[in-house]
Amino acid sequence: LSAGHLAQLKDVVRRYRPVLVSDHLCWGAIDDRHANDLLPLPHTGAARDLLVDRIRRVQDALGREFLVENISSYLRFGDDEMSEWEFVAQVVERAGCGLLLDVNNVYVNSINHGFDAEAYLCAMPAHAVREIHLAGFTHKEGLDVPLLIDTHDRPVAEPVWALYANAVRQFGRVPTLIEWDQELPPLETLL
């Protein structure tokens, strides 16, 4: 955990007083070398415990709740000890933090890794969901296995809308953001 980065984050939060503060549940740097990508974590007890400690330290430094967001992924680790949804739920519960639930990422991962997206939603601690994200994805063609890439460059797909409807029934009406940051359509389409 970078003390310098955390101090800068604390200054930004103090200055602008955002309603929510979040980051992705992933890793992206080692020895001050940044990958500039959201890299998946192994779903192990050791990784969970490390995250819980760091999230608690972030919340203590900020003096407020911090949200973690589930990421899209394209590979799994051979030494995973639990499912992704068990990992995310345990991190959130043990850290006492909030959850920014990216429903598109749940759907993308359910196709990429062959699990039931509804089971994922059911495993999430409803009391912790503070925000939901939706986005578009790209289906990669010509592969031996299905592969969806979270590209944020097209409309939200119908199966994601259906999963979102179930999420709203389960978690209530929480702030929802549609991420669309490439190949932007005309404003009328966005509206």
Side-chain angles (χ1 to χ4, degrees):
L1 185 62
S2 167
H5 182 78
L6 185 53
Q8 290 176 330
L9 177 62
K10 184 176 179 178
D11 286 344
V12 167
V13 169
R14 179 189 48 75
R15 181 175 183 182
Y16 295 105
R17 297 187 310 263
V19 173
L20 302 171
V21 179
S22 67
D23 203 348
H24 296 88
L25 200 53
C26 67
W27 69 281
I30 196 166
D31 294 331
D32 289 327
R33 292 180 182 258
H34 292 267
N36 294 319
D37 206 349
L38 306 176
L39 303 174
L41 293 156
H43 300 145
T44 63
R48 176 203 58 218
D49 294 346
L50 176 67
L51 286 170
V52 166
D53 174 65
R54 290 187 173 193
I55 293 166
R56 286 179 179 164
R57 289 167 54 192
V58 168
Q59 290 185 135
D60 288 346
L62 298 179
R64 63 179 294 164
E65 182 181 60
F66 185 72
L67 280 61
V68 293
E69 178 180 355
N70 56 302
I71 66 166
S72 58
S73 65
Y74 312 104
L75 59 86
R76 293 269 59 98
F77 289 91
D79 63 348
D80 280 352
E81 298 168 356
M82 62 191 86
S83 67
E84 177 184 345
W85 54 92
E86 291 170 317
F87 182 78
V88 171
Q90 287 182 23
V91 167
V92 169
E93 291 287 17
R94 292 178 186 209
C97 65
L99 177 61
L100 193 168
L101 181 62
D102 191 314
V103 171
N104 185 67
N105 289 349
V106 170
Y107 180 76
V108 164
N109 290 355
S110 75
I111 299 301
N112 291 347
H113 305 302
F115 63 76
D116 180 5
E118 294 293 340
Y120 192 118
L121 289 185
C122 288
M124 294 300 99
H127 66 88
V129 177
R130 303 282 184 267
E131 184 174 335
I132 295 175
H133 281 183
L134 304 171
F137 59 78
T138 299
H139 182 242
K140 298 303 276 186
E141 301 291 336
L143 302 174
D144 293 337
V145 295
L147 179 64
L148 304 181
I149 307 292
D150 179 35
T151 51
H152 298 188
D153 66 351
R154 58 197 66 221
V156 176
E158 286 306 317
V160 176
W161 280 120
L163 193 59
Y164 173 65
N166 290 340
V168 170
R169 281 191 287 279
Q170 183 173 339
F171 307 119
R173 293 176 183 245
V174 297
T176 299
L177 173 75
I178 296 177
E179 300 175 286
W180 196 331
D181 41 49
Q182 299 183 78
E183 307 295 330
L184 292 174
L187 181 60
E188 303 78 44
T189 302
L190 290 174
L191 294 174

